[in-house]
Structure formats: C-alpha cells, structure tokens
Amino acid sequence: MIHANTSFISQPSTRCLILCLLILLFVPRGADAKITFSAYGSIYVMNDDGSGRRRLTDNQFWEFGPSWSPDGTQIAFERSLEKDIQKCQLFIMNADGTNQQQLTHTGKTNRNPTWSPDGQYLAFNSDRNGDTEIYVMDLENRTVKQLTGLQKNSGSHEAHWSPDGKEFVYTRFISVPAGLHPVNIWIMSADGTNQRPLLPDPAPGDPLAFRVYPHWSPDGKQILYLESKGQLEDPVKRFIIQRKNGVKRRIDITKKIGGDWVGSGLCWMDDGRAFLFSAGRLDVPKAKEHHDIYRYEIEDGKLRRLTTHPSNDIQPDWVQGALPVSPQGKLPMQWGDIKAVYDVEVALEVEKQTVNQTPRPAERVHRKPVDTP
C-alpha cells in the first residue's frame, strides 16, 4: 500500500505521472463516446467499436427508443407498462441506469424522445389528443405543449432538434385517398410555426416514398434520413444526406450489407464524419433474421458491422464524450485506488457517477419473457 506521506509521491511531477499511468491502465482507450440502443426489449450501451456491451434496464418491461442527453449524463427512452407494447410512456435515467423517472402518464403512445441542445426540453410524439403529433415537454416543470396537428390532422412523428435549437426536422404522413400513406420529411420552427416540407410532398400517381429517421448533422447544415422509394414489393432503399438548399448525396449500402435489407434506426456520429444505423437482412432464412448495428464512414464509404448478436439490436443513438463503458463495479474500484493515493477532482466525479450501477426497481406491472444474451 502506498502512503500519502511518503517522499516518493510528495513531488508534484511524480504524483502527476502516477495518475496518468493509472488512467491509461484502467480507462479503455478510444472509448470516450458511447452508443445506446435497444435489444431484447431493454436499453443497452456499448463503445464505438461494439465492445463493452452492457444492459442498463432490468428486463421487466419492453423498452425502446433510447436518446442521449447532450452532456451524456442521462438517457430518455420509451417503456411499455402494459401488455400492448405500442402503449408506451416516456422515462429518463442516469447514464448508468440508475434513478429511473417516469415523465408521461397519458395517451396510448408516447414515443421517439429527443433532447433539446441545452438539455432542458424533450420533444416526442404522442396520440394523447387523437392522431400522433409532436409535443415538447419542459423537463423542469413537466408542462407539455403540442406543436403539430393544431390546424388539421396530419400525423407527425420522429422530431429531431437542430443543433442551434431553432428548428425541428420531422416526419409527416401524407394524406392520400386510398392505400398506404407516403411519409415525407418536414421542417418547422422550434415553437411549431413555419411548418413546410423539406422536399415536395409526392403527388397522386408518384412512386410510393417513405422517408424516415431524419437527423440534423452536428453542424446544422445537412439532414440525414432513410428513403424507401418505388414498388412496394421491391423498393430502392438509400440513405440520403441533404442540404436545405436541395443538394443531395445518395448512399446505397445494399451490396455492402450483402443483400436485401430493412432499416430500424439511424443517427450521426463522430462529428458528422460517420453515421450509425440498424438494419436486418430480408433475404436470409426466417430463423436467422435479426437486426444489427452498423457504422458507415462517409468519406471512404467503409461499412462495419458492430453487433452480431441473435437479438434485434435497433435504434442506435450516439453521444460525444460520454464516460467509458466498463463492467459493473469495476470502474469505481479502480478510481477508489487512485483516490487513495491523493484526492483529485476528476476522480471524485467519476466515482460519483459510477458508484451505484444497479437500476432502481420499478413497479412491476407485467413481466416480459426473459431472453437475455
């Protein structure tokens, strides 16, 4: 055991060197950002390379749609408290799964939470007043304001805040006389005004188009979304990176992924140099169908599959600068050893954020089948 009053560590330069060495030994390199996603109907996190996979919620309920807070300290998500998994309420929790709090208590559906850039508000879609529309909650006083569907029934969802907090991009169902409703990307001001389509809504007779999962780029200059267009039996599926002035970049990953596929989530990562998406292969035997999470490098077109589990790994979300993912209980012990040498502010902060990694029990309304990996 090293004693704090020894001459060896009394020299500032030596003490600094010891701290740096301990950090390098105990904290995973290249793991200063994390991915959260849904798998087996629970919320998970992992490192950028797919390592460090860990479940945060305790498998009692069906949970989907995780979304990081801007500072990486909290995750918002959907939880179904009933047998119908479409009837969801919104929750938030700490990044380690503790302190789970229910935010909504009404409507059949409250889904797709997304944080404002300052972390003070949460946008989501809900059917509390009939059609599915977009709402914003003030997290301090839990008041809710409806933004879409006030003039007429439109059906809007999947809102995503612009980095400056001034606008939303979102998806909107297009009314047609009969058949499937196309889905288009729309933009509006943060207060719900100035609602307009990013692209012209499809006219009657146009090829069927579904544009989903819209996300602003970190610099606010581009919007990323998934487009499925053409015949319903054999649509063309591509990722689109589009500037507000209409300039597009189309990315087709069908050959790289190895066959026909369907998407189940999308987000930017690495300051806009890459994006994450989840997808499942449609041309494999039914028993082998499952969704995995992939990383696509925009500059060189490199595609890497991050998960290979038999579960459906869906709806990834990435945050800059979150704490490294480590096994439960391991990181606090390591930082405790460092703190025993001498007290440093950063060590106290890490210890505080990782001291209790056991999720707080929630009221058991129903239990889903346990099929954890």
Side-chain angles (χ1 to χ4, degrees):
M1 181 176 180
I2 301 176
H3 297 281
N5 60 357
T6 62
S7 59
F8 176 73
I9 65 168
S10 62
Q11 303 175 22
S13 59
T14 306
R15 294 169 60 186
C16 237
L17 177 61
I18 292 174
L19 177 61
C20 292
L21 288 173
L22 286 169
I23 291 174
L24 290 174
L25 283 172
F26 293 130
V27 178
R29 299 181 187 182
D32 59 347
K34 288 193 300 186
I35 299 167
T36 184
F37 60 102
S38 175
Y40 295 100
S42 293
I43 306 302
Y44 283 71
V45 290
M46 65 180 177
N47 294 323
D48 283 358
D49 60 0
S51 65
R53 179 185 175 106
R54 180 162 58 88
R55 193 179 73 208
L56 296 184
T57 54
D58 56 8
N59 215 53
Q60 295 184 56
F61 310 98
W62 294 101
E63 293 146 340
F64 303 98
S67 175
W68 284 109
S69 64
D71 61 5
T73 63
Q74 292 181 297
I75 298 173
F77 62 99
E78 312 157 11
R79 170 177 284 168
S80 176
L81 300 174
E82 304 180 34
K83 292 183 179 179
D84 183 353
I85 65 173
Q86 297 299 320
K87 296 181 179 180
C88 294
Q89 302 300 332
L90 298 184
F91 285 72
I92 56 173
M93 63 182 172
N94 293 338
D96 61 2
T98 60
N99 193 26
Q100 297 177 20
Q101 303 175 48
Q102 186 171 346
L103 299 180
T104 61
H105 300 79
T106 185
K108 293 184 295 183
T109 301
N110 298 274
R111 310 195 73 171
N112 299 308
T114 179
W115 298 77
S116 62
D118 61 9
Q120 297 181 21
Y121 299 89
L122 204 68
F124 61 99
N125 49 260
S126 175
D127 63 356
R128 61 185 60 201
N129 291 326
D131 289 334
T132 299
E133 302 295 347
I134 294 171
Y135 296 77
V136 171
M137 174 182 288
D138 185 325
L139 291 174
E140 183 177 0
N141 55 32
R142 306 293 168 88
T143 57
V144 174
K145 177 184 178 181
Q146 183 175 349
L147 298 185
T148 64
L150 296 174
Q151 288 75 32
K152 62 177 182 178
N153 296 333
S154 60
S156 302
H157 59 137
E158 294 180 335
H160 190 258
W161 243 293
S162 61
D164 61 8
K166 295 180 179 180
E167 291 183 298
F168 282 109
V169 63
Y170 62 102
T171 57
R172 177 167 168 164
F173 294 103
I174 308 304
S175 297
V176 294
L180 293 174
H181 292 268
V183 181
N184 199 15
I185 306 295
W186 278 53
I187 297 176
M188 65 178 168
S189 300
D191 60 0
T193 61
N194 196 22
Q195 298 179 16
R196 73 271 188 199
L198 175 66
L199 299 172
D201 287 342
D206 285 352
L208 193 62
F210 300 95
R211 301 179 178 115
V212 294
Y213 310 129
H215 278 70
W216 290 96
S217 60
D219 62 7
K221 296 179 179 179
Q222 301 177 103
I223 295 170
L224 171 69
Y225 59 92
L226 172 61
E227 180 183 72
S228 178
K229 192 173 184 180
Q231 299 296 323
L232 189 59
E233 296 78 14
D234 188 25
V236 176
K237 284 167 281 204
R238 294 174 296 197
F239 295 106
I240 307 293
I241 299 176
Q242 178 154 346
R243 292 185 176 272
K244 291 177 67 175
N245 63 8
V247 177
K248 294 183 184 179
R249 178 175 177 178
R250 298 175 174 87
I251 298 173
D252 189 341
I253 53 93
T254 301
K255 290 182 179 179
K256 292 182 179 182
I257 208 171
D260 194 18
W261 59 281
V262 61
S264 53
L266 179 64
C267 71
W268 292 92
M269 73 176 303
D270 199 16
D271 293 325
R273 292 186 291 269
F275 62 83
L276 292 172
F277 68 93
S278 54
R281 290 276 300 276
L282 297 176
D283 56 350
V284 298
K286 192 71 175 177
K288 294 184 178 181
E289 281 186 13
H290 64 276
H291 287 235
D292 290 313
I293 295 174
Y294 297 79
R295 173 175 178 156
Y296 183 88
E297 304 292 340
I298 295 174
E299 184 175 349
D300 59 14
K302 183 179 178 182
L303 182 68
R304 180 182 178 188
R305 185 167 65 176
L306 300 184
T307 65
T308 57
H309 295 264
S311 62
N312 283 321
D313 298 339
I314 61 174
Q315 301 170 321
D317 192 41
W318 183 87
V319 68
Q320 175 73 50
L323 289 174
V325 179
S326 297
Q328 279 189 322
K330 184 177 180 182
L331 194 60
M333 179 182 67
Q334 294 165 352
W335 277 109
D337 293 340
I338 296 172
K339 185 173 180 293
V341 177
Y342 70 101
D343 198 6
V344 289
E345 183 178 351
V346 66
L348 286 172
E349 183 64 20
V350 174
E351 182 175 324
K352 179 181 70 174
Q353 294 186 28
T354 58
V355 66
N356 181 10
Q357 303 213 10
T358 303
R360 188 172 64 182
E363 181 183 358
R364 294 175 178 263
V365 179
H366 76 280
R367 181 178 292 276
K368 69 178 181 182
V370 177
D371 56 352
T372 55

